[in-house]
Amino acid sequence: MNDQTKFKALVVREQAEGFQQKIEERCLADLPPGDVLIRVQFSSLNYKDALSASGNRGVTKKYPHTPGIDAAGVVAFSTVPQFSAGDEVICMCYDLGMNTPGGFGEYIRVPASWVLSKPEQLSLLETMQIGTAGFTAAQCVDKLLAFGLRPEQGPVLVTGATGGVGSLAVALLAKLGFAVTAVTGKESEHDFLQQLGCTAVLNRQQATGRVSAALLRERWAGVVDTVGGEILAGAIKATRYGGIVTCCGNAASGDLALTVYPFILRGVSLVGIDSAECPLTRRKEIWDKLAGTWHPLLQDVLVKLSQQITLEQLSQTVDAMLAGQTRGRIVVDLREKA
Ligand SMILES: NC(=O)c1ccc[n+]([C@@H]2O[C@H](COP(=O)([O-])OP(=O)(O)OC[C@H]3O[C@@H](n4cnc5c(N)ncnc54)[C@H](OP(=O)(O)O)[C@@H]3O)[C@@H](O)[C@H]2O)c1
C-alpha cells in the first residue's frame, strides 16, 4: 500500500446543473494528512450526510467532497502508539464527513483524537446500526435518566419518531419501561413504531397543538425532540410540571417560538444535545452503556430498525431521506466484495 493505492468513494461535485454525486476512484494521496488511516467497512447515513451530499454549505463549505460523518473499520496504518494496524475502530463526527473526507469512501485518514477503539461487545456492523443518530438518541435518553425521570412519572414523547434518532430513542425508552408516544408524519409506519415498542402515535398536527397557546394540557413527563419548530414548541408547552425536554435536531425547523411560561410556571427543563463536538470521555461513557447494560435491550431492535445499502445505492437513498421517505437507520456496507 502506498499513496497511489486506489479506492472507491462517493464524491459530490458542484456542476452547472447543481450538485452531483458519483462513485469515483480516489487514491490515498487525496486524503488529508492524519495519524490513523482506516479501511472503512461500514458507514451510515445521517441527516447531516444528506445535507452535505446535496450541497448544503452550512455543513460542507468546499466541494468536491466525500460525506459520511460515521465510519467503522480496521486500522490500515497508524503513526501513534494507541492504535496499530488491524485494530477495529470507530470514528464519528468532529469534522469527519463535513470538511474532511468521510465514511462514504473506503478509506479515511483522521487525527487519533477522533478515533475510538470499537467496544468489544459490539460488532462493527452494530456500531454503525447505532451510528451518530443512535449515539445521539442514547445521549438524550441518558439525560432523561440522569435527570431522574422514571417510567411511573408518565409518558415520554419522541418526535421525528421513524427517523434514525427517533426510532432508536423510541426503542430504547420502551425497553427501559417507559410508555412512549411517537410523533410521525408517516401514516404507513404506525406498525413499525408499535413493533419498536411505542404505546401511542400522534400525527404532527396533533403534537403541535394550538400554536397561539402559551401552555397546553400537561401530558409529557419527558420529551426527545429531533425536529424543532412548532412540534418542539408544542411538546414543551405540554410538558408536565418539573418535566424535561431534550432538543437535538431541526429536521422541521431551527425556529422555536415560545413564551417563558412553561419554564417559569411549570419548571420545565430544556436540555440541548450535541454529538459533533461531544468530548471523548462522554463519548466513552455513552458507548459503554450501548455496549454494556443497554446492549441486550437493543440487539434485536437494531436489526429491526436498520437496513443495509451499498455505496452505489447511496445517491437515491440521500434523495429519499431529504424527501422524508426513509425510516430507521441506514448502514452503508463498504466491505470488499467476495
Ligand atoms: N445534535 C446532534 O449532535 C445531532 C446528531 C444527530 C442528528 N441530529 C439532528 O437530528 C435530526 C434527526 O436526524 P436523523 O439522522 O434521525 O434524521 P432522519 O433519519 O432523516 O429523521 C428525521 C425525521 O424527522 C421527521 N421529519 C422530517 N421532516 C419533518 C418536518 N418537516 N416536520 C416534522 N418532522 C419531520 C421524519 O420523521 P417522521 O416521518 O416519523 O415524522 C424524519 O424521519 C436532524 O435534524 C439531525 O440534524 C443532531
Side-chain angles (χ1 to χ4, degrees):
M1 173 179 298
N2 59 44
D3 255 15
Q4 293 314 308
T5 301
K6 302 238 184 302
F7 68 93
K8 271 195 316 180
L10 180 94
V11 179
V12 184
R13 290 182 182 276
E14 189 170 11
Q15 315 278 26
E17 62 276 25
F19 287 86
Q20 304 285 323
Q21 302 145 14
K22 217 170 117 206
I23 314 282
E24 294 185 9
E25 202 167 69
R26 311 287 281 166
C27 64
L28 294 182
D30 296 328
L31 294 175
D35 308 315
V36 191
L37 178 70
I38 300 168
R39 172 63 174 92
V40 179
Q41 306 263 322
F42 298 101
S43 180
S44 86
L45 179 62
N46 294 276
Y47 195 73
K48 211 182 218 178
D49 302 317
L51 294 177
S52 170
S54 56
N56 185 305
R57 301 240 184 230
V59 177
T60 299
K61 290 186 181 61
K62 278 199 196 140
Y63 293 86
H65 173 64
T66 294
I69 63 171
D70 282 343
V74 177
V75 173
F77 185 76
S78 166
T79 61
V80 293
Q82 305 92 289
F83 298 107
S84 314
D87 288 353
E88 291 191 316
V89 291
I90 52 181
C91 182
M92 280 175 21
C93 301
Y94 297 111
D95 193 49
L96 187 71
M98 292 181 67
N99 292 291
T100 300
F104 297 168
E106 290 172 334
Y107 282 91
I108 57 171
R109 187 155 45 208
V110 291
S113 59
W114 295 5
V115 182
L116 273 181
S117 297
K118 178 187 74 63
E120 231 174 77
Q121 306 89 321
L122 297 177
S123 65
L124 283 175
L125 172 61
E126 283 177 315
T127 64
M128 289 295 103
Q129 286 171 331
I130 296 168
T132 293
F135 176 86
T136 305
Q139 278 217 78
C140 295
V141 172
D142 187 61
K143 282 282 182 204
L144 300 187
L145 297 178
F147 186 78
L149 194 70
R150 296 291 171 263
E152 54 276 15
Q153 288 171 271
V156 176
L157 185 75
V158 177
T159 68
T162 67
V165 180
S167 57
L168 224 123
V170 167
L172 183 54
L173 284 163
K175 290 280 184 183
L176 289 168
F178 287 91
V180 181
T181 297
V183 182
T184 184
K186 300 185 186 89
E187 278 208 18
S188 57
E189 299 295 356
H190 289 203
D191 278 358
F192 170 67
L193 289 168
Q194 268 145 16
Q195 277 173 36
L196 297 184
C198 82
T199 47
V201 182
L202 299 181
N203 65 34
R204 292 176 188 167
Q205 212 176 353
Q206 288 168 321
T208 303
R210 202 152 42 84
V211 174
S212 59
L215 291 168
L216 295 166
R217 178 167 66 85
E218 291 180 60
R219 297 179 77 179
W220 320 119
V223 176
V224 172
D225 178 70
T226 72
V227 303
E230 288 184 349
I231 293 178
L232 172 58
I236 294 170
K237 290 189 251 176
T239 297
R240 292 183 183 184
Y241 191 92
I244 173 169
V245 178
T246 60
C247 155
C248 72
N250 60 350
S253 167
D255 295 337
L256 183 56
L258 276 177
T259 67
V260 296
Y261 296 116
F263 309 109
I264 67 171
L265 297 182
R266 291 186 180 161
V268 168
S269 296
L270 177 60
V271 177
I273 301 290
D274 167 64
S275 296
E277 295 298 325
C278 174
L280 211 57
T281 46
R282 172 82 180 145
R283 276 177 203 245
K284 283 189 178 142
E285 235 174 71
I286 295 292
W287 277 111
D288 281 350
K289 289 191 181 177
L290 285 163
T293 47
W294 290 349
H295 188 223
L297 305 180
L298 288 176
Q299 235 171 344
D300 294 350
V301 165
L302 287 178
V303 176
K304 262 190 214 155
L305 60 71
S306 64
Q307 55 165 309
Q308 280 185 52
I309 61 167
T310 60
L311 211 47
E312 288 72 19
Q313 292 168 306
L314 246 174
S315 241
Q316 72 201 59
T317 317
V318 162
D319 292 344
M321 180 171 264
L322 290 173
Q325 289 161 356
T326 49
R327 77 167 200 201
R329 295 281 302 135
I330 295 154
V331 172
V332 188
D333 186 348
L334 294 110
R335 289 172 301 178
E336 228 162 287
K337 307 238 166 36

